[in-house]
Amino acid sequence: MTAPERLREPLERLYRDFAYAERIERDAIRFPLRYDDPRDREIAALLTACLAYGRVDLFGAQLDAVLARIGAPYDFTMRFDARRDGDTFRDFIYRFNRPRDLVAFFVAARQILGRHGTLETCFVHGDPDPRGPIAPALEGFARAFLEAELGDVFRGRRLSRGYRHLFPLPSAGGPCKRLLLFLRWMVRREPPDFGLWTAVSPARLVIPVDTHVENMSRAIGLTRRKSRSWRMAEEITGRLGLIDSRDPVKYDFALCHKRMSGDCRDRRDPEVCEPCGLRVVCRHWAGRRDEGRSHA
Ligand code: SF4
């Protein structure tokens, strides 16, 4: 693992200099960013994050069609009636998910918003320790959706696999990348994130680990774990917290998009790696830091 004092400067530079505006249109965050009203953005963000598995252009095409149909997400949710409006999503199909999963999403969201007013209040309501780890609070939030009254959607109240897939539980040990991404958007105070959930501290966030963040984290010595899991996410976050304890997941967007954009190939490539500020801590260049550097 790389010592935090060696990581600090390269990571801070990556965070500070990253071309966020160029990458936002390639990121799922562009969907909730369309909405100015915080109530609309909150619902749009959760729906987007739940469906954010696979490539952005693939789930994005389906999500675009759903968002075009529902209009203002908050009003749509509060007026949603499964029997009357169930047909809204009849053409929706994306990998594990089918129309009734979206029907269930809006039924559950309507119940939760009716009870708590906002998703943030629901999250805080289920948070046993506002200064403690985020996992129990996220577990409670996911359970609010899984334990909603969904008898009108699922016969015998047996949830579909697709609906359960939308709300993974930290206690199951998976990385919960999509729900952690939603939290990052809502909680972090600096762009590109929204900072709408002021009752939750950014210091408690856990990094959403996808394949890109996993690769980058291994390359620069943030983890040695072999499989993507909640423990890997905690380990990476713990290392980043040694650099910035108040906002450890601030590096997520830049790390993810550096790899996703092809600016890192997760291997030693003199041309691609030449301008990379992480090279000084990259395992692919261990012992050969100067190779490929042009000398004036
Ligand atoms: S030095 Fe190369 S392989 Fe290492 S992080 Fe940078 S671009 Fe990726």
Side-chain angles (χ1 to χ4, degrees):
M1 302 272 256
T2 309
E5 52 275 17
R6 292 189 59 227
L7 283 165
R8 178 169 288 112
E9 201 275 334
L11 274 176
E12 287 296 332
R13 186 140 43 94
L14 177 72
Y15 175 68
R16 192 183 60 232
D17 298 343
F18 196 76
Y20 294 92
E22 283 174 23
R23 294 299 302 176
I24 279 175
E25 277 310 304
R26 306 285 184 94
D27 192 276
I29 202 171
R30 74 176 190 261
F31 297 104
L33 271 174
R34 292 174 183 170
Y35 302 93
D36 292 329
D37 186 323
R39 297 176 308 171
D40 288 332
R41 191 175 280 190
E42 193 182 50
I43 284 288
L46 182 60
L47 179 62
T48 300
C50 285
L51 294 174
Y53 58 99
R55 283 177 22 205
V56 178
D57 53 336
L58 296 181
F59 77 78
Q62 288 293 322
L63 181 62
D64 253 335
V66 170
L67 294 176
R69 285 213 183 125
I70 70 177
Y74 179 81
D75 282 348
F76 176 84
T77 306
M78 295 311 287
R79 283 187 278 105
F80 189 73
D81 179 280
R83 294 200 177 131
R84 186 191 62 210
D85 304 322
D87 254 11
T88 309
F89 313 116
R90 64 184 172 280
D91 302 327
F92 177 85
I93 177 164
Y94 179 64
R95 294 182 59 182
F96 308 131
N97 290 116
R98 298 294 180 268
R100 68 177 178 165
D101 302 328
L102 294 191
V103 173
F105 175 94
F106 283 103
V107 168
R110 188 199 61 207
Q111 290 171 20
I112 288 165
L113 291 177
R115 196 174 306 130
H116 296 286
T118 66
L119 296 180
E120 180 186 22
T121 310
C122 171
F123 187 89
V124 169
H125 177 78
D127 188 352
D129 179 2
R131 294 210 182 98
I134 205 79
L138 189 58
E139 182 100 3
F141 184 71
R143 284 196 183 281
F145 279 83
L146 294 171
E147 294 168 7
E149 177 48 64
L150 295 170
D152 283 352
V153 188
F154 299 118
R155 198 174 297 165
R157 295 198 172 90
R158 263 194 73 181
L159 304 183
S160 67
R161 176 177 172 233
Y163 185 70
R164 281 187 277 112
H165 181 72
L166 298 180
F167 299 101
L169 297 170
S171 60
C176 298
K177 172 238 153 183
R178 290 166 290 133
L179 289 180
L180 289 172
L181 184 63
F182 169 69
L183 281 186
R184 196 201 86 202
W185 291 344
M186 303 313 295
V187 171
R188 280 203 67 246
R189 317 291 199 246
E190 289 179 19
D193 301 309
F194 315 144
L196 292 175
W197 284 16
T198 53
V200 183
S201 167
R204 299 175 68 204
L205 293 175
V206 171
I207 194 164
V209 181
D210 62 5
T211 182
H212 307 301
V213 171
E214 179 184 2
N215 288 341
M216 292 299 295
S217 296
R218 278 215 199 86
I220 63 174
L222 292 171
T223 185
R224 285 202 195 104
R225 289 185 183 275
K226 295 220 173 356
S227 58
R228 217 179 308 159
S229 63
W230 182 269
R231 291 178 72 178
M232 173 187 274
E234 280 187 325
E235 182 175 78
I236 295 169
T237 306
R239 303 298 293 177
L240 295 175
L242 296 174
I243 302 167
D244 189 338
S245 60
R246 289 180 303 179
D247 192 7
V249 309
K250 70 184 193 185
Y251 313 100
D252 176 54
F253 188 101
L255 283 172
C256 175
H257 278 271
K258 182 174 172 62
R259 176 85 179 98
M260 193 197 294
S261 67
D263 280 352
C264 172
R265 295 189 178 159
D266 198 25
R267 60 182 161 80
R268 195 168 60 247
D269 180 320
E271 200 175 317
V272 173
C273 297
E274 168 65 27
C276 179
L278 299 176
R279 187 159 129 164
V280 291
V281 288
C282 178
R283 71 186 169 117
H284 299 299
W285 287 87
R288 11 188 8 156
R289 305 283 180 213
D290 293 328
E291 186 184 313
R293 289 265 188 224
S294 51
H295 297 284

